[in-house]
Coordinates of all heavy atoms in Angstrom, one line a residue:
M1469 N -9.4 21.5 11.6 CA -9.1 20.5 10.6 C -7.7 20.0 10.9 O -6.8 20.7 11.2 CB -9.2 21.0 9.2 CG -9.0 20.1 8.1 SD -10.3 18.9 7.6 CE -11.8 19.9 7.6
S1470 N -7.5 18.7 10.8 CA -6.3 18.0 11.0 C -5.2 18.5 10.0 O -5.5 18.8 8.9 CB -6.5 16.5 11.0 OG -5.3 15.9 11.1
D1471 N -4.0 18.4 10.5 CA -2.8 18.6 9.6 C -2.7 17.6 8.5 O -2.3 17.8 7.4 CB -1.5 18.8 10.4 CG -1.5 20.0 11.2 OD1 -2.1 21.0 10.8 OD2 -0.8 20.1 12.2
Q1472 N -3.0 16.3 8.9 CA -2.9 15.2 8.0 C -4.1 14.3 8.1 O -4.7 14.3 9.2 CB -1.6 14.4 8.1 CG -0.4 15.2 7.6 CD 0.7 14.2 7.2 OE1 1.1 13.5 8.1 NE2 1.1 14.2 6.0
W1473 N -4.4 13.6 7.1 CA -5.5 12.6 7.1 C -4.9 11.2 6.9 O -3.9 11.0 6.2 CB -6.4 12.8 6.0 CG -7.2 14.1 6.1 CD1 -7.3 15.0 7.1 CD2 -8.0 14.7 5.1 NE1 -8.1 16.0 6.9 CE2 -8.6 15.9 5.6 CE3 -8.4 14.4 3.8 CZ2 -9.5 16.7 4.9 CZ3 -9.2 15.2 3.1 CH2 -9.8 16.3 3.6
R1474 N -5.5 10.2 7.6 CA -5.2 8.8 7.5 C -6.2 8.1 6.6 O -7.4 8.2 6.9 CB -5.2 8.2 8.9 CG -4.7 6.8 8.9 CD -4.5 6.2 10.3 NE -3.7 7.1 11.2 CZ -2.4 7.1 11.2 NH1 -1.7 6.3 10.4 NH2 -1.8 7.9 12.0
I1475 N -5.7 7.5 5.5 CA -6.6 6.9 4.5 C -6.4 5.4 4.6 O -5.3 4.8 4.7 CB -6.2 7.3 3.1 CG1 -6.1 8.8 2.9 CG2 -7.2 6.7 2.1 CD1 -5.5 9.3 1.6
S1476 N -7.6 4.7 4.7 CA -7.6 3.2 4.7 C -8.7 2.7 3.8 O -9.7 3.3 3.6 CB -7.7 2.7 6.1 OG -9.0 3.0 6.7
V1477 N -8.4 1.5 3.3 CA -9.4 0.8 2.4 C -9.6 -0.6 3.0 O -8.6 -1.3 3.2 CB -8.9 0.8 1.0 CG1 -9.9 -0.1 0.1 CG2 -8.6 2.2 0.4
E1478 N -10.8 -1.0 3.2 CA -11.2 -2.3 3.6 C -11.2 -3.2 2.4 O -12.1 -3.2 1.6 CB -12.6 -2.4 4.3 CG -12.7 -1.7 5.6 CD -14.1 -1.8 6.2 OE1 -14.8 -2.8 5.9 OE2 -14.4 -0.9 6.9
R1479 N -10.1 -4.0 2.2 CA -10.0 -4.8 1.0 C -11.1 -5.9 0.9 O -11.5 -6.3 -0.2 CB -8.6 -5.5 1.0 CG -7.5 -4.5 0.6 CD -6.2 -5.2 0.4 NE -6.2 -6.1 -0.7 CZ -5.7 -5.9 -1.9 NH1 -5.1 -4.8 -2.2 NH2 -5.8 -6.8 -2.9
E1480 N -11.6 -6.3 2.1 CA -12.7 -7.3 2.0 C -14.0 -6.7 1.5 O -14.8 -7.4 1.0 CB -13.0 -7.9 3.4 CG -11.8 -8.5 4.1 CD -10.8 -7.5 4.8 OE1 -11.3 -6.4 5.2 OE2 -9.6 -7.7 4.8
T1481 N -14.1 -5.4 1.6 CA -15.3 -4.7 1.2 C -15.2 -4.2 -0.2 O -16.2 -4.2 -1.0 CB -15.6 -3.5 2.2 OG1 -15.8 -4.0 3.5 CG2 -16.9 -2.9 1.8
C1482 N -14.0 -3.8 -0.6 CA -13.7 -3.2 -1.9 C -14.1 -4.1 -3.0 O -13.8 -5.3 -3.0 CB -12.2 -2.8 -2.0 SG -11.7 -2.1 -3.6
I1483 N -14.8 -3.5 -4.0 CA -15.2 -4.3 -5.2 C -14.4 -3.9 -6.4 O -14.7 -4.4 -7.5 CB -16.7 -4.2 -5.5 CG1 -17.1 -2.7 -5.8 CG2 -17.5 -4.8 -4.4 CD1 -18.5 -2.5 -6.3
G1484 N -13.4 -3.0 -6.3 CA -12.6 -2.6 -7.4 C -13.2 -1.9 -8.5 O -12.9 -1.9 -9.6
S1485 N -14.2 -1.0 -8.1 CA -14.9 -0.2 -9.1 C -14.1 0.8 -9.8 O -14.3 1.2 -10.9 CB -16.2 0.5 -8.5 OG -15.8 1.6 -7.6
G1486 N -13.0 1.3 -9.1 CA -12.1 2.3 -9.6 C -12.6 3.7 -9.5 O -12.0 4.6 -10.0
M1487 N -13.7 3.9 -8.8 CA -14.3 5.3 -8.6 C -13.3 6.1 -7.9 O -13.0 7.3 -8.3 CB -15.6 5.2 -7.8 CG -16.8 4.6 -8.5 SD -17.4 5.6 -9.8 CE -18.0 7.0 -8.9
C1488 N -12.5 5.6 -6.9 CA -11.6 6.3 -6.2 C -10.4 6.8 -7.0 O -9.9 7.9 -6.9 CB -11.1 5.5 -5.0 SG -10.4 3.9 -5.4
T1489 N -9.9 5.9 -7.9 CA -8.8 6.3 -8.8 C -9.2 7.3 -9.8 O -8.4 8.1 -10.2 CB -8.2 5.0 -9.5 OG1 -9.1 4.4 -10.3 CG2 -7.6 4.1 -8.5
G1490 N -10.5 7.3 -10.2 CA -11.0 8.3 -11.1 C -11.1 9.6 -10.5 O -11.0 10.7 -11.1
T1491 N -11.5 9.6 -9.2 CA -11.8 10.8 -8.4 C -10.5 11.4 -7.8 O -10.4 12.6 -7.8 CB -12.8 10.5 -7.3 OG1 -14.0 9.9 -7.9 CG2 -13.2 11.7 -6.5
A1492 N -9.6 10.6 -7.3 CA -8.5 11.1 -6.6 C -7.3 10.2 -7.0 O -6.7 9.5 -6.2 CB -8.7 11.0 -5.1
A1493 N -6.9 10.3 -8.3 CA -5.8 9.5 -8.8 C -4.5 9.7 -8.1 O -3.6 8.8 -8.1 CB -5.6 9.7 -10.3
A1494 N -4.3 10.8 -7.5 CA -3.0 11.1 -6.8 C -3.0 10.3 -5.5 O -1.9 10.2 -4.9 CB -2.9 12.6 -6.5
H1495 N -4.1 9.8 -5.0 CA -4.1 9.3 -3.7 C -4.5 7.8 -3.6 O -4.4 7.1 -2.6 CB -5.1 10.0 -2.8 CG -4.7 11.5 -2.6 ND1 -3.7 11.9 -1.8 CD2 -5.2 12.6 -3.2 CE1 -3.6 13.2 -1.9 NE2 -4.4 13.6 -2.7
F1496 N -5.1 7.3 -4.8 CA -5.5 5.8 -4.8 C -5.0 5.2 -6.1 O -4.9 5.8 -7.1 CB -7.0 5.7 -4.8 CG -7.6 6.2 -3.5 CD1 -8.1 7.5 -3.4 CD2 -7.8 5.4 -2.4 CE1 -8.6 8.0 -2.2 CE2 -8.4 5.9 -1.2 CZ -8.7 7.2 -1.2
T1497 N -4.7 3.9 -5.9 CA -4.3 3.1 -7.0 C -5.0 1.7 -6.9 O -5.4 1.4 -5.8 CB -2.7 2.9 -7.1 OG1 -2.4 2.2 -8.3 CG2 -2.2 2.2 -5.9
L1498 N -5.1 1.0 -8.0 CA -5.6 -0.4 -7.9 C -4.5 -1.3 -7.9 O -3.6 -1.3 -8.7 CB -6.5 -0.7 -9.1 CG -7.9 0.1 -9.2 CD1 -8.7 -0.3 -10.4 CD2 -8.7 -0.1 -7.9
V1499 N -4.5 -2.2 -6.9 CA -3.5 -3.3 -6.7 C -4.2 -4.6 -6.7 O -5.1 -4.8 -5.9 CB -2.7 -3.1 -5.4 CG1 -1.7 -4.2 -5.2 CG2 -2.0 -1.8 -5.3
D1500 N -3.9 -5.5 -7.7 CA -4.6 -6.7 -7.8 C -6.1 -6.6 -7.9 O -6.9 -7.4 -7.4 CB -4.2 -7.7 -6.7 CG -2.8 -8.1 -6.6 OD1 -2.2 -8.1 -7.7 OD2 -2.2 -8.2 -5.6
G1501 N -6.6 -5.5 -8.5 CA -8.0 -5.2 -8.8 C -8.7 -4.6 -7.6 O -9.9 -4.4 -7.6
Y1502 N -8.0 -4.2 -6.5 CA -8.6 -3.6 -5.4 C -7.9 -2.2 -5.1 O -6.7 -2.1 -5.3 CB -8.4 -4.5 -4.2 CG -9.1 -5.8 -4.3 CD1 -8.5 -7.0 -4.7 CD2 -10.5 -5.9 -4.1 CE1 -9.1 -8.1 -4.8 CE2 -11.2 -7.1 -4.2 CZ -10.5 -8.2 -4.6 OH -11.2 -9.4 -4.7
S1503 N -8.7 -1.3 -4.5 CA -8.2 0.0 -4.2 C -7.1 -0.1 -3.1 O -7.3 -0.9 -2.2 CB -9.3 0.9 -3.8 OG -8.8 2.1 -3.3
S1504 N -6.1 0.8 -3.2 CA -5.1 0.9 -2.2 C -4.7 2.4 -2.1 O -4.5 3.0 -3.2 CB -3.9 0.0 -2.5 OG -2.9 0.1 -1.5
P1505 N -4.6 2.9 -0.9 CA -4.1 4.3 -0.8 C -2.6 4.3 -1.3 O -1.9 3.4 -1.0 CB -4.2 4.6 0.6 CG -4.4 3.4 1.4 CD -4.9 2.3 0.4
V1506 N -2.3 5.4 -2.0 CA -0.9 5.6 -2.4 C 0.0 5.8 -1.2 O 1.1 5.2 -1.1 CB -0.8 6.8 -3.4 CG1 0.6 7.2 -3.6 CG2 -1.5 6.5 -4.7
A1507 N -0.5 6.5 -0.2 CA 0.2 6.6 1.1 C -0.9 6.6 2.2 O -2.0 7.0 2.0 CB 0.9 7.9 1.2
E1508 N -0.5 6.1 3.4 CA -1.5 6.0 4.5 C -1.8 7.4 5.0 O -3.0 7.6 5.4 CB -0.8 5.1 5.6 CG -1.8 5.0 6.8 CD -1.1 4.3 8.0 OE1 0.0 3.8 7.9 OE2 -1.8 4.1 9.0
L1509 N -0.9 8.3 5.0 CA -1.1 9.7 5.5 C -1.0 10.6 4.3 O -0.2 10.4 3.4 CB 0.0 10.1 6.5 CG 0.0 9.3 7.8 CD1 1.1 9.8 8.7 CD2 -1.4 9.6 8.6
A1510 N -1.9 11.6 4.3 CA -2.0 12.5 3.2 C -2.3 13.9 3.7 O -3.0 14.0 4.7 CB -3.0 12.1 2.1
D1511 N -1.9 14.9 3.0 CA -2.3 16.3 3.4 C -3.8 16.4 3.0 O -4.2 15.7 2.0 CB -1.5 17.3 2.6 CG -0.1 17.4 3.1 OD1 0.2 17.1 4.3 OD2 0.8 17.7 2.3
P1512 N -4.6 17.2 3.7 CA -6.0 17.3 3.4 C -6.2 17.7 1.9 O -5.5 18.6 1.4 CB -6.4 18.5 4.3 CG -5.5 18.3 5.5 CD -4.2 18.0 4.9
D1513 N -7.1 17.0 1.2 CA -7.4 17.3 -0.1 C -8.8 16.8 -0.3 O -9.2 15.7 0.0 CB -6.5 16.4 -1.0 CG -6.7 16.6 -2.5 OD1 -7.8 16.9 -2.9 OD2 -5.7 16.4 -3.3
E1514 N -9.7 17.7 -0.8 CA -11.1 17.5 -1.0 C -11.4 16.3 -1.9 O -12.4 15.6 -1.7 CB -11.8 18.7 -1.5 CG -13.3 18.7 -1.4 CD -13.8 18.5 0.1 OE1 -13.2 19.1 1.0 OE2 -14.8 17.9 0.3
S1515 N -10.4 16.0 -2.8 CA -10.7 14.8 -3.7 C -10.7 13.5 -2.9 O -11.3 12.5 -3.3 CB -9.6 14.8 -4.8 OG -8.3 14.5 -4.3
I1516 N -10.0 13.5 -1.8 CA -9.9 12.2 -1.0 C -11.3 12.0 -0.3 O -11.9 10.9 -0.3 CB -8.9 12.3 0.1 CG1 -7.5 12.5 -0.5 CG2 -9.0 11.1 1.1 CD1 -6.4 12.8 0.5
I1517 N -11.9 13.1 0.1 CA -13.3 13.0 0.7 C -14.3 12.6 -0.4 O -15.1 11.8 -0.2 CB -13.7 14.4 1.3 CG1 -12.8 14.8 2.5 CG2 -15.2 14.4 1.7 CD1 -12.9 13.9 3.7
D1518 N -14.1 13.2 -1.6 CA -15.0 12.9 -2.7 C -14.9 11.4 -3.1 O -15.9 10.8 -3.4 CB -14.7 13.7 -3.9 CG -15.0 15.2 -3.7 OD1 -15.7 15.5 -2.8 OD2 -14.5 16.0 -4.5
A1519 N -13.7 10.9 -3.0 CA -13.4 9.5 -3.4 C -14.1 8.6 -2.4 O -14.8 7.6 -2.7 CB -12.0 9.1 -3.4
A1520 N -14.0 8.9 -1.1 CA -14.6 8.1 0.0 C -16.1 8.1 -0.1 O -16.8 7.1 0.0 CB -14.1 8.6 1.4
E1521 N -16.6 9.3 -0.4 CA -18.1 9.5 -0.6 C -18.7 8.8 -1.8 O -19.8 8.4 -1.8 CB -18.5 11.0 -0.5 CG -18.1 11.7 0.8 CD -19.0 11.3 2.0 OE1 -20.0 10.6 1.8 OE2 -18.6 11.7 3.1
S1522 N -17.8 8.7 -2.9 CA -18.3 8.1 -4.1 C -18.1 6.6 -4.2 O -18.7 6.0 -5.1 CB -17.7 8.8 -5.3 OG -16.3 8.5 -5.4
C1523 N -17.4 6.0 -3.2 CA -17.2 4.6 -3.2 C -18.5 3.9 -3.1 O -19.3 4.1 -2.1 CB -16.3 4.2 -2.1 SG -16.0 2.4 -2.0
P1524 N -18.9 3.0 -4.0 CA -20.2 2.4 -4.0 C -20.5 1.4 -2.8 O -21.6 1.2 -2.4 CB -20.4 1.6 -5.3 CG -19.0 1.5 -5.8 CD -18.1 2.6 -5.2
V1525 N -19.4 1.0 -2.2 CA -19.5 0.1 -1.0 C -18.9 0.7 0.2 O -18.8 0.0 1.3 CB -18.9 -1.3 -1.3 CG1 -19.7 -2.0 -2.4 CG2 -17.5 -1.2 -1.7
E1526 N -18.6 2.0 0.3 CA -18.0 2.6 1.4 C -16.8 1.9 2.0 O -16.7 1.7 3.2 CB -19.1 2.9 2.5 CG -20.1 3.9 2.0 CD -21.1 4.4 3.1 OE1 -21.1 3.8 4.2 OE2 -21.8 5.3 2.8
A1527 N -15.9 1.5 1.2 CA -14.7 0.7 1.6 C -13.6 1.6 2.1 O -12.7 1.2 2.7 CB -14.2 -0.2 0.5
I1528 N -13.7 3.0 1.7 CA -12.7 3.9 2.0 C -13.0 4.6 3.3 O -14.2 5.1 3.5 CB -12.5 4.9 0.9 CG1 -12.1 4.2 -0.4 CG2 -11.5 6.0 1.3 CD1 -12.2 5.1 -1.6
L1529 N -12.1 4.7 4.2 CA -12.3 5.4 5.5 C -11.2 6.5 5.6 O -10.0 6.2 5.4 CB -12.2 4.5 6.7 CG -12.4 5.1 8.1 CD1 -13.9 5.6 8.2 CD2 -12.2 4.0 9.1
V1530 N -11.6 7.8 5.8 CA -10.7 8.9 6.0 C -10.9 9.4 7.4 O -12.0 9.7 7.8 CB -11.0 10.0 4.9 CG1 -10.0 11.1 5.1 CG2 -11.0 9.5 3.6
R1531 N -9.8 9.4 8.1 CA -9.8 9.9 9.5 C -8.7 11.1 9.7 O -7.8 11.1 9.0 CB -9.4 8.8 10.5 CG -10.3 7.7 10.6 CD -9.8 6.7 11.6 NE -10.6 5.5 11.7 CZ -11.6 5.4 12.7 NH1 -11.7 6.4 13.6 NH2 -12.3 4.3 12.8
A1532 N -9.0 11.9 10.6 CA -8.0 12.9 11.1 C -6.9 12.1 11.7 O -7.1 11.3 12.6 CB -8.6 13.9 12.0
A1533 N -5.7 12.3 11.3 CA -4.5 11.6 11.8 C -4.3 11.8 13.2 O -3.9 10.9 14.0 CB -3.3 11.9 11.0
D1534 N -4.5 13.0 13.7 CA -4.2 13.3 15.1 C -5.3 12.8 16.1 O -5.0 12.3 17.1 CB -3.9 14.8 15.3 CG -5.1 15.7 14.8 OD1 -6.1 15.2 14.3 OD2 -4.9 16.9 15.0
S1535 N -6.6 13.0 15.7 CA -7.7 12.7 16.6 C -8.4 11.3 16.3 O -9.1 10.8 17.2 CB -8.7 13.8 16.6 OG -9.4 13.8 15.3
G1536 N -8.2 10.8 15.1 CA -9.0 9.6 14.7 C -10.4 9.9 14.3 O -11.1 9.0 14.0
E1537 N -10.8 11.2 14.3 CA -12.1 11.6 13.9 C -12.4 11.1 12.5 O -11.6 11.3 11.6 CB -12.3 13.1 14.0 CG -13.7 13.6 13.5 CD -13.7 15.1 13.4 OE1 -12.7 15.8 13.7 OE2 -14.8 15.6 12.9
I1538 N -13.6 10.5 12.3 CA -13.9 10.0 10.9 C -14.4 11.3 10.1 O -15.3 12.0 10.5 CB -15.1 9.0 11.0 CG1 -14.6 7.7 11.6 CG2 -15.6 8.7 9.5 CD1 -15.6 6.7 11.9
L1539 N -13.7 11.5 9.0 CA -14.1 12.6 8.1 C -14.9 12.2 7.0 O -15.7 13.0 6.4 CB -12.8 13.3 7.6 CG -11.8 13.7 8.7 CD1 -10.5 14.2 8.1 CD2 -12.4 14.8 9.5
A1540 N -14.8 10.9 6.5 CA -15.6 10.4 5.4 C -15.5 8.9 5.4 O -14.5 8.3 5.9 CB -15.0 10.9 4.1
P1541 N -16.5 8.1 5.0 CA -17.7 8.7 4.5 C -18.6 9.2 5.7 O -18.4 8.8 6.9 CB -18.4 7.5 3.9 CG -17.9 6.3 4.6 CD -16.5 6.7 5.0
E1542 N -19.5 10.0 5.4 CA -20.5 10.6 6.4 C -21.2 9.4 7.0 O -21.6 8.5 6.4 CB -21.5 11.6 5.8 CG -20.8 12.9 5.4 CD -21.8 13.9 5.0 OE1 -23.0 13.6 5.1 OE2 -21.4 15.0 4.6
Q1543 N -21.3 9.5 8.3 CA -22.0 8.4 9.1 C -23.4 8.6 9.2 O -23.9 9.6 9.2 CB -21.4 8.3 10.5 CG -19.9 8.0 10.4 CD -19.5 6.7 9.9 OE1 -20.0 5.6 10.3 NE2 -18.7 6.6 8.8

């Protein structure tokens, strides 16, 4: 497992459901009605994976910062 994860949100895809902020409030916030990661890099936290998996439009992408391997959502 990577030392850090890279979190990104596709703003064009995001519908602002807020599922991510409810699931991982420490890592996501809503900006102008759209999800935004609090920080691009984060220490591994299962709530980040849960947020990516619960996003209704799969707008959240979580990758291993060192390898770029996609960790969530499951492909």
Side-chain angles (χ1 to χ4, degrees):
M1469 185 75 45
S1470 172
D1471 289 335
Q1472 286 205 301
W1473 293 351
R1474 185 173 309 278
I1475 307 168
S1476 61
V1477 177
E1478 288 182 32
R1479 286 189 62 105
E1480 304 79 33
T1481 304
C1482 178
I1483 60 171
S1485 74
M1487 292 290 292
C1488 56
T1489 59
T1491 304
H1495 300 285
F1496 295 93
T1497 186
L1498 292 180
V1499 177
D1500 297 328
Y1502 297 98
S1503 175
S1504 181
V1506 171
E1508 181 184 359
L1509 294 175
D1511 290 331
D1513 182 333
E1514 196 60 34
S1515 70
I1516 299 169
I1517 299 292
D1518 292 344
E1521 296 291 348
S1522 68
C1523 177
V1525 293
E1526 295 189 347
I1528 300 168
L1529 184 62
V1530 183
R1531 293 180 179 266
D1534 56 358
S1535 68
E1537 174 192 359
I1538 295 173
L1539 304 173
E1542 287 187 5
Q1543 301 295 307

